[in-house]
């Protein structure tokens, strides 16, 4: 097989619209889990998909598409955090500020789910960035450690170490958040 044939085989043309439709939710969730605030997540997702569209011809179809997309999310979230550092969001002490923007009454299960979502996002914010990336990729997006190591260009043992530390940071943050809520 010639080099040209190999390249052609690896770069099977994928339809951008299909990628967008099938992976928008994944991109939005990944960006949010990587620290992009709710109010900005759609704008950053748009930046991700613009970059994806530009690089679509470089996609190697032998690699998992979600992992490739996550790389774009990781870079966009990193840029977002770098630019937004001076306006870091702080959880308000007043619970009324945490109410959903939709004023329609919510069933109890939706309220509990929203409270849990906020707690998870706040706990993710407490994890150091390098460990947070590994935690989100492995625990929330089910990427195997070998793919994470390859993507981040680190040894697999580093991935496992970061994952172990991230799990501990996450557990402590959840405990701290729950404790603060129970004292209110």
């Amino acid at each position: 097989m010639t080099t040209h044939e190999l390249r052609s085989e690896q770069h099977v043309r994928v339809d951008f619209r299909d990628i967008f439709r099938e992976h928008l939710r994944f991109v939005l969730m990944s960006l949010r889990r990587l620290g992009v605030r709710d109010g900005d997540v759609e704008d950053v997702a748009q930046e991700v998909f613009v970059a994806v569209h530009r690089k679509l011809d470089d996609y190697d179809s032998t690699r998992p598409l979600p992992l490739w997309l996550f790389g774009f999310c990781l870079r966009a979230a990193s840029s977002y955090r770098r630019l937004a550092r001076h306006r870091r969001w702080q959880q308000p002490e007043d619970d009324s500020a945490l109410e959903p923007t939709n004023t329609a009454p919510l069933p109890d299960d939706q309220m509990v789910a929203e409270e849990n979502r906020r707690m998870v996002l706040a706990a993710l914010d407490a994890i150091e960035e390098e460990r947070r990336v590994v935690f989100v990729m492995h625990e929330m997006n089910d990427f195997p450690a070998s793919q994470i190591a390859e993507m981040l260009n680190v040894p697999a043992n580093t991935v496992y170490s970061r994952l172990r530390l991230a799990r501990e940071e996450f557990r402590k943050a959840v405990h701290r958040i729950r404790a603060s809520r129970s004292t209110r």
Side-chain angles (χ1 to χ4, degrees), residues 161-172:
S161 176
R162 288 178 185 176
L163 184 57
R164 180 184 55 78
L165 293 169
R167 285 174 177 156
E168 184 62 21
E169 286 179 70
F170 185 80
R171 186 191 62 73
K172 286 179 180 178

Side-chain angles (χ1 to χ4, degrees), residues 11 14 16 19-20 23-24 26-32 34-36 41 43-61 63-82 129 133 136-137 141 143 151-152:
H11 296 289
V14 289
F16 176 76
I19 292 174
F20 181 81
H23 297 282
L24 175 62
F26 169 78
V27 167
L28 292 170
M29 286 188 323
S30 295
L31 289 170
R32 186 59 196 99
L34 291 170
V36 176
V41 77
D43 291 337
V44 178
Q46 181 178 356
E47 293 171 19
V48 165
F49 281 108
V50 166
V52 165
H53 189 268
R54 278 192 209 125
K55 296 288 188 177
L56 199 54
D57 289 338
D58 296 337
Y59 172 61
D60 177 357
S61 60
R63 306 215 38 208
L65 183 60
L67 188 63
W68 187 68
L69 292 172
F70 193 84
F72 288 95
C73 293
L74 183 59
R75 288 184 289 282
S78 179
S79 294
Y80 169 84
R81 283 191 313 275
R82 228 180 358 267
E129 185 178 343
V133 167
V136 168
M137 290 179 78
N141 293 336
F143 291 128
M151 180 184 176
L152 299 177

Side-chain angles (χ1 to χ4, degrees), residues 146-161:
S146 59
Q147 287 181 348
I148 297 169
E150 183 181 335
M151 180 184 176
L152 299 177
N153 199 27
V154 297
N157 285 340
T158 300
V159 170
Y160 289 117
S161 176

Side-chain angles (χ1 to χ4, degrees), residues 112-127:
V112 169
E114 179 62 20
E115 185 175 312
N116 286 338
R117 184 186 76 83
R118 285 191 193 115
M119 180 180 60
V120 166
L121 293 175
L124 285 172
D125 282 344
I127 300 174

